[in-house]
Amino acid sequence: MQGIVFDKVSKQYKNAAAPAVNQVSFTVDPGSLVVLLGPSGCGKTTLLKMVNRLFEPSEGTIYLDGVNIRDMEVTALRRQIGYVIQQVGLFPHMTVAENIALIPSLLKWEKPRIQSRVDELLTLIHLDPLEYRDRYPAQLSGGQQQRVGLARALAGDPNVLLMDEPFGAIDAITRASLQQEVMQLQNQLQKTVLFVTHDVEEALLLADKIAILKEGALVQYDTPWNLLTNPADEFVRELINADDRIRQLTVLKAKDVMIKPSHHEQVLKKVQQRTDLRQVLSLLLSSPNAVVAVTDSSGKVVGEISLQQLVLE
Amino acid sequence: MFTNLINTFVLAWQYTLSHADEFILALREHLFLVTISMIVGILVCVPLGIWTARSKRIATAALNTVNTLRVIPSLAILFLLIPYLGLSSTSALIALIVLALPPILINTDAAFRGISPAILEAARGMGMKPQQILFQIEFPLAAPVILTGIRIAAVEVIASATLAAFVGSGGLGIYITRGFALYDYSILFVGAVPVALLTLFSEGIISGAQKLIQYPQ
């Protein structure tokens, strides 16, 4: 069994009346990004931190790629899991390169391999290695620090990434660009990601599947689209504002609703197959004939969308 | 007034030259007292401070103890020790160590306590072992503040080591007591000026070390 499996996991803190996490079971498929979503105190961070054993479950078992994580040495387990936290937690006395090199050197990689890995990762997160390698964390902006935090988590080439509200302390504009970057990276790297947030838009944007938690219990675990169209209960409906049609459009892609092209393509505005329907709607509203063309990655027109395709069900 | 001062310096210089052997011995004794008490102070207080930073109960107990010791004047400690240890350098050393403890302990405790929990959580979450976290993360981060404590302690110990002369352990204090007894300022200067220079010198060295290890904040 690959991926992360939670099997009836509970966490009871001492002196707490109710368990922080209560009998949670679900599976994170390998290569997928799962968001843990819920209000403060719903147990999402506790659940996340049990995966790298910063907390130990009171009951239940977590399996990583089929192995009970309690059977692994705790430091060995953590070195194969990338960990990104809201406060970033870069080491202020180490340069950017030294921060990123930490896990590879704990894993006893050869020096040249570490160096090329550092440059590779800096390039991946769009920071010029020559310019940023030798800077200290205090010499970076908040957004740059979290990029380095992400690079540091990826350094040991882990299969699993845990992200605990990574963009919670970052301004809206930078957050949007970091979210785009995470999506891009995820397309490229296909890690198994567990991502905690209380930002519904962020969850809908990034998640392959969302686990909604309430008072420690798993309320619903499904794809963004299914959550929006089939919320399990009133709590989920209200939390994600499921009836909002615009919000539903954000989780659908152009390729999901496009029809065969019939118009002369030259006159149409174009969108990619992966463009979300909210953007398509915005474009439609500003197109004279209210039709846009959908192109594949080579730029060839493969479909079209008019307002009619957005009025569904 | 000013010519008097110059005169006193000249006389002090001449006195030093005519008592060169004695002066060098006194300087060595002084440095010995300072070095030993600083080493003991660091060896006791840095590990103790790391421990107290991890436990509130121990911190309260340890910090209260050294703070209580600190209010007893060093001279009083010396005289209290004489019945047990006699007129010996051990008495002087104990009095000086008591003086060195509080600043080093308080600063080590504060330095380790002040490390951001997020940094430590990141280190743990990345799979660093407690020992690796201590030596690769916590120590380098705490070092500038610990060094400040060591600097404060060194200044106090260098000045107070002059008291050793009262219990016959030598040091530059002999010139201060002698000058006092003979009512001769030039002899007093033979002790006081090198003590002041030593203090400035140690401040300079430690500040330099601090600049070397300081990271951008």
Side-chain angles (χ1 to χ4, degrees):
Chain A
M1 192 66 190
Q2 300 290 298
I4 310 168
V5 178
F6 294 87
D7 184 17
K8 299 199 191 79
V9 174
S10 296
K11 175 69 183 177
Q12 172 75 51
Y13 289 112
K14 276 179 205 155
N15 311 321
V21 172
N22 198 354
Q23 297 283 317
V24 169
S25 299
F26 69 102
T27 300
V28 181
D29 291 328
S32 73
L33 191 154
V34 167
V35 168
L36 301 175
L37 181 67
S40 311
C42 70
K44 53 193 193 294
T45 293
T46 303
L47 193 60
L48 182 94
K49 288 182 179 176
M50 286 193 280
V51 177
N52 62 359
R53 290 179 62 186
L54 288 173
F55 296 140
E56 298 284 2
S58 325
E59 275 173 56
T61 316
I62 300 170
Y63 299 93
L64 183 61
D65 292 340
V67 183
N68 181 347
I69 58 169
R70 282 208 176 177
D71 295 339
M72 304 166 85
E73 201 214 335
V74 67
T75 50
L77 170 77
R78 288 172 182 167
R79 283 171 200 179
Q80 49 176 285
I81 298 177
Y83 188 44
V84 184
I85 58 177
Q86 183 181 346
Q87 311 89 329
V88 190
L90 292 180
F91 304 130
H93 61 300
M94 294 183 184
T95 62
V96 165
E98 287 167 342
N99 267 284
I100 297 174
L102 199 108
I103 288 185
S105 53
L106 288 177
L107 294 170
K108 303 206 164 31
W109 288 15
E110 304 273 322
K111 266 242 170 74
R113 184 175 168 209
I114 294 178
Q115 266 170 9
S116 63
R117 182 69 179 155
V118 167
D119 288 359
E120 180 192 337
L121 283 163
L122 282 172
T123 313
L124 191 70
I125 56 161
H126 304 300
L127 293 176
D128 178 14
L130 285 178
E131 195 182 338
Y132 288 98
R133 205 192 279 132
D134 298 321
R135 289 213 196 172
Y136 284 87
Q139 297 162 333
L140 303 175
S141 71
Q144 289 171 338
Q145 287 184 14
Q146 194 54 292
R147 278 162 203 261
V148 175
L150 188 58
R152 181 174 69 172
L154 291 169
D157 205 12
N159 287 324
V160 176
L161 215 53
L162 303 179
M163 305 179 82
D164 188 4
E165 300 203 30
F167 311 136
I170 288 169
D171 67 87
I173 294 170
T174 314
R175 191 189 310 146
S177 78
L178 283 169
Q179 287 166 347
Q180 292 301 325
E181 229 158 282
V182 164
M183 288 206 292
Q184 228 176 52
L185 284 176
Q186 182 56 8
N187 271 328
Q188 220 174 318
L189 306 172
Q190 301 285 315
K191 302 289 183 192
T192 307
V193 186
L194 208 51
F195 189 111
V196 164
T197 186
H198 58 249
D199 179 343
V200 177
E201 294 279 345
E202 184 168 75
L204 294 173
L205 179 72
L206 298 176
D208 293 314
K209 275 182 158 185
I210 299 176
I212 294 184
L213 293 156
K214 181 193 178 189
E215 289 162 12
L218 182 63
V219 185
Q220 193 171 4
Y221 179 50
D222 216 327
T223 61
W225 175 251
N226 286 344
L227 287 172
L228 286 168
T229 51
N230 278 310
D233 61 10
E234 220 25 56
F235 172 77
V236 176
R237 182 189 298 276
E238 270 175 37
L239 180 76
I240 63 174
N241 203 0
D243 299 328
D244 184 342
R245 182 67 183 150
I246 299 287
R247 185 159 266 178
Q248 293 180 1
L249 291 180
T250 61
V251 303
L252 287 177
K253 309 288 180 226
K255 65 172 172 0
D256 298 333
V257 298
M258 65 185 185
I259 55 169
K260 286 212 167 92
S262 58
H263 286 73
H264 195 271
E265 58 178 84
Q266 248 78 34
V267 299
L268 302 179
K269 296 193 177 181
K270 295 188 176 62
V271 296
Q272 298 268 315
Q273 284 176 301
R274 288 223 324 275
T275 309
D276 73 66
L277 290 188
R278 180 151 68 176
Q279 289 179 51
V280 171
L281 174 64
S282 166
L283 214 58
L284 279 176
L285 295 176
S286 62
S287 306
N289 42 6
V291 184
V292 296
V294 183
T295 62
D296 65 11
S297 52
S298 65
K300 188 172 158 263
V301 173
V302 290
E304 68 174 35
I305 300 174
S306 65
L307 274 177
Q308 213 173 352
Q309 274 72 54
L310 302 186
V311 185
L312 288 168
E313 290 119 84
Chain B
M1 172 68 201
F2 187 65
T3 29
N4 266 349
L5 191 65
I6 299 282
N7 229 358
T8 316
F9 271 114
V10 172
L11 286 173
W13 180 243
Q14 286 169 348
Y15 189 92
T16 310
L17 290 181
S18 60
H19 294 72
D21 289 346
E22 187 197 53
F23 177 80
I24 286 167
L25 180 67
L27 185 64
R28 281 173 56 181
E29 285 165 343
H30 203 92
L31 289 175
F32 170 79
L33 290 168
V34 170
T35 312
I36 297 294
S37 41
M38 285 306 293
I39 288 175
V40 173
I42 291 167
L43 287 182
V44 170
C45 286
V46 172
L48 188 62
I50 295 171
W51 193 32
T52 61
R54 282 155 169 51
S55 150
K56 208 162 196 175
R57 269 216 328 264
I58 297 161
T60 319
L63 293 175
N64 282 341
T65 309
V66 293
N67 276 327
T68 312
L69 285 175
R70 182 154 69 161
V71 297
I72 311 173
S74 303
L75 201 56
I77 294 180
L78 267 184
F79 291 150
L80 284 171
L81 289 172
I82 288 171
Y84 306 100
L85 298 166
L87 293 171
S88 68
S89 54
T90 316
S91 307
L93 277 174
I94 289 176
L96 291 176
I97 289 165
V98 166
L99 208 57
L101 297 178
I104 304 178
L105 181 63
I106 290 165
N107 278 46
T108 307
D109 178 78
F112 275 83
R113 207 174 281 274
I115 297 172
S116 146
I119 290 173
L120 298 178
E121 189 189 315
R124 265 205 315 282
M126 290 166 76
M128 296 183 85
K129 296 179 173 154
Q131 214 184 359
Q132 291 169 326
I133 297 177
L134 178 63
F135 288 106
Q136 292 179 39
I137 308 293
E138 291 183 280
F139 247 118
L141 290 177
V145 179
I146 298 176
L147 275 182
T148 301
I150 292 176
R151 200 180 73 202
I152 297 168
V155 170
E156 289 188 35
V157 168
I158 290 169
S160 302
T162 50
L163 295 176
F166 284 99
V167 289
S169 305
L172 294 166
I174 58 169
Y175 297 108
I176 295 172
T177 48
R178 188 181 301 164
F180 194 62
L182 300 174
Y183 207 68
D184 184 338
Y185 280 114
S186 62
I187 301 177
L188 193 139
F189 272 31
V190 174
V193 173
V195 166
L197 291 177
L198 277 179
T199 308
L200 289 175
F201 181 70
S202 73
E203 284 243 16
I205 295 276
I206 298 171
S207 306
Q210 262 175 324
K211 285 215 182 72
L212 273 182
I213 59 167
Q214 187 62 55
Y215 47 88
Q217 275 177 323

